[in-house]
Amino acid sequence: MRVGAWTRRRSMWLDIGLATVAAGECAWSAAVFAFRQGLGTAAVVAVAVFGLIAGSTLLVRRRWPLIPVAAALATIPLDAGYTLLMIGLYTLGAYRPEGAAGRFAERRVMSALCALAIAETVIVSTLTLGTQQQDALRHGVAEYVLVILSVLVAVAISVPPAILGLYIGAKRRLLVALTERAEGLETELSLLADQAHERARRARMEERTRIAREMHDVVAHRVSLLVVHAGALERVVHKDPDRAAQSARLMGDIGRQALDELRQILGVLRTVEPQEDETGTTGTSTGSPTGATGTAGTSGAAAGLGSPLDGVEAALLSLADLPKLVDESRAAGLVVRYTLGGLRSALPAQAEQTAYRVVQEALTNVLKHAPGTDVEVVVAYVSGGVALAVSNTCPAADTAPAADRGLPSGGNGLIGMRERVHALGGTFAAGPTAEGGYRVEARLLTAT
């Protein structure tokens, strides 16, 4: 603010000084011209006042630069206003006013103004040779020489200021354009940075959701089975040692399976994708889970985390593993009827994994919320994909609620299933049936 105020004050005092000089030159030159032409005192005073007013127009040269030029062209016939003309032409070219005056700052119109000023100057000099150039004529200088000198002087006082003004104006406009462009680029870079930050944030959220879904799918089913078998073991340990031993073996198998799946996921989380260094070579590094999670904020890390995990699980989990999953649920006390229909066709690994996870989570929910009910699992291969449904009958009135069985529910199972199915462009529905049971349906249509 201080710099701007100081600049404005400096410009104001400069305009006052130029206006004072131009007004003095115009008033003196006009008065001398009138006196040499033999006009009366009143005429001399009048033209002097006119010259004074014309020179004072430089006070408004920055706002209305055309006014000093017009005033100079009006005073040239009085053989005055040459200083005013030079400053006016420079200002008109340098500041490029808006509106109608802006058209006079164009190069063609500036050329026309210069030609008019040259013509006026030459005409005035030619008409006043007898009164203005008496000494030169007495010394034998030819009249045509004086006319040529008048033309040269007229060109010198009009063309260079106009050219300089146009150059300064073009340079100033170029500087303004470059400044605006730099500001625009800075704004654009800021927007791009914000967009990149938002994309990174979304990638982090998607990856966190993905990891939470995978952990839930792996842990919830196995732990639910462990809790069910632990309860059965507690009840029959003294009554039926053989059955207790069988439950203990099942618990061990289930625990080992859970540990294997968790180990697979944690191994993927520890893996860092190979990155190119500045020399273009590729290096591979491994880091801690914290470091790997930190890099998952970028889209590249997110993509790198997704593919290996899908590959690992696809090798372990597919529709072919559903019979084993059904057997585990039967061993936990559920009465499960499994039906496989349709002409079996090859599906993408991700579709196989998603179908497996949907059935797994549905069976886990039955263990949590409706133990002892009859469950029906139907898997049917359809054109271009697979359809599946898991439904259970109405639980008995004496069925223990989930809280009493030590199987709390976080409400993430249905959300995870829906996200998995929708991610593949499929349809998902879940809700109670008219008979009081519950039904989960999913349909995955994918290309082979």
Side-chain angles (χ1 to χ4, degrees), residues 67-92:
I67 292 178
V69 176
L73 294 176
T75 55
I76 285 179
L78 299 177
D79 198 21
Y82 298 113
T83 302
L84 178 62
L85 176 66
M86 290 189 291
I87 299 174
L89 289 175
Y90 167 81
T91 304
L92 185 62

Side-chain angles (χ1 to χ4, degrees), residues 352-412:
E352 294 266 351
Q353 172 205 343
T354 299
Y356 179 91
R357 288 301 192 192
V358 169
V359 176
Q360 181 189 49
E361 181 59 31
L363 292 175
T364 302
N365 287 341
V366 175
L367 281 173
K368 288 181 179 181
H369 306 292
T373 61
D374 295 337
V375 184
E376 183 176 9
V377 178
V378 179
V379 178
Y381 287 96
V382 296
S383 178
V386 64
L388 50 93
V390 180
S391 59
N392 61 276
T393 59
C394 179
D398 59 349
T399 300
D404 296 338
R405 295 171 57 86
L407 295 173
S409 176
N412 295 318

Side-chain angles (χ1 to χ4, degrees), residues 10 22 24 129 145 150 161 192 202 233 307 331 367-368 404:
R10 186 185 64 176
L129 285 179
V145 175
S150 298
L192 290 175
R202 288 199 301 267
L233 179 62
S307 299
L367 281 173
K368 288 181 179 181
D404 296 338

